């Protein structure tokens, strides 16, 4: 399975649950941890849970990637991380996204264009 295919599944699944400000960082040039970090936010804890659940279900159904045992945090903490191997997904509430500011931390990583995967 190609990481671009997984990236598309992740972004579409998040968008289906109305995730906000979805971005993807190309980590190939700055880190060997993963091919991409996907960062997004949700309006509340229920939406965080819905986004995480939908990404997990879609990844398993469409590209046979299971997140079992690869989820850190929970909606109450304001940040959930899903380790999908090539793709690391970060789902934040608004305040946590501002506080941790992964975009600044990984500012050397170029943005990946995921606009084609998001419905307007």
């Amino acid at each position: 399975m190609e990481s671009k295919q997984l990236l598309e599944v992740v972004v579409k699944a998040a968008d289906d649950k109305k995730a906000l400000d979805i971005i993807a960082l190309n980590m190939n040039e700055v880190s060997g941890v993963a091919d991409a970090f996907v960062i997004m936010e949700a309006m509340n804890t229920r939406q965080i849970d819905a986004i995480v659940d939908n990404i997990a279900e879609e990844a398993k159904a469409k590209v046979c990637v299971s997140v079992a045992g690869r989820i850190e945090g929970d909606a109450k903490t304001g940040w959930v991380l899903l380790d999908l191997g090539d793709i690391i997904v970060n789902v934040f509430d608004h305040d946590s996204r501002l506080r941790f500011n992964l975009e600044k931390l990984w500012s050397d990583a170029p943005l990946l264009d995921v606009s084609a995967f998001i419905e307007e």
Side-chain angles (χ1 to χ4, degrees):
M1 184 232 3
E2 195 176 304
S3 63
K4 184 175 180 177
Q5 183 183 11
L6 179 56
L7 177 63
E8 180 177 356
V9 168
V10 166
V11 172
K12 284 183 174 182
D15 187 51
D16 285 347
K17 294 301 178 183
K18 309 297 186 223
L20 303 171
D21 194 20
I22 303 168
I23 66 160
L25 302 175
N26 182 346
M27 300 305 290
N28 286 321
E29 298 174 23
V30 295
S31 173
V33 174
D35 290 343
F37 278 8
V38 179
I39 303 168
M40 66 196 71
E41 65 184 72
M43 293 180 281
N44 54 51
T45 57
R46 278 191 195 174
Q47 188 183 22
I48 291 174
D49 286 336
I51 292 167
V52 169
D53 291 346
N54 201 43
I55 291 171
E57 290 168 11
E58 292 293 302
K60 186 170 185 174
K62 294 187 175 169
V63 290
C64 300
V65 173
S66 175
V67 298
R70 298 191 205 175
I71 298 176
E72 298 292 330
D74 62 46
K76 293 177 210 154
T77 66
W79 182 7
V80 177
L81 180 143
L82 293 91
D83 180 352
L84 301 175
D86 291 339
I87 309 291
I88 305 294
V89 180
N90 298 274
V91 185
F92 290 100
D93 65 23
H94 181 72
D95 292 338
S96 296
R97 186 171 186 174
L98 292 175
R99 181 177 37 240
F100 292 105
N101 201 358
L102 293 185
E103 292 96 324
K104 183 177 180 186
L105 178 67
W106 293 104
S107 62
D108 291 345
L111 287 173
L112 293 167
D113 184 8
V114 295
S115 60
F117 309 144
I118 298 173
E119 291 188 26
E120 294 298 321

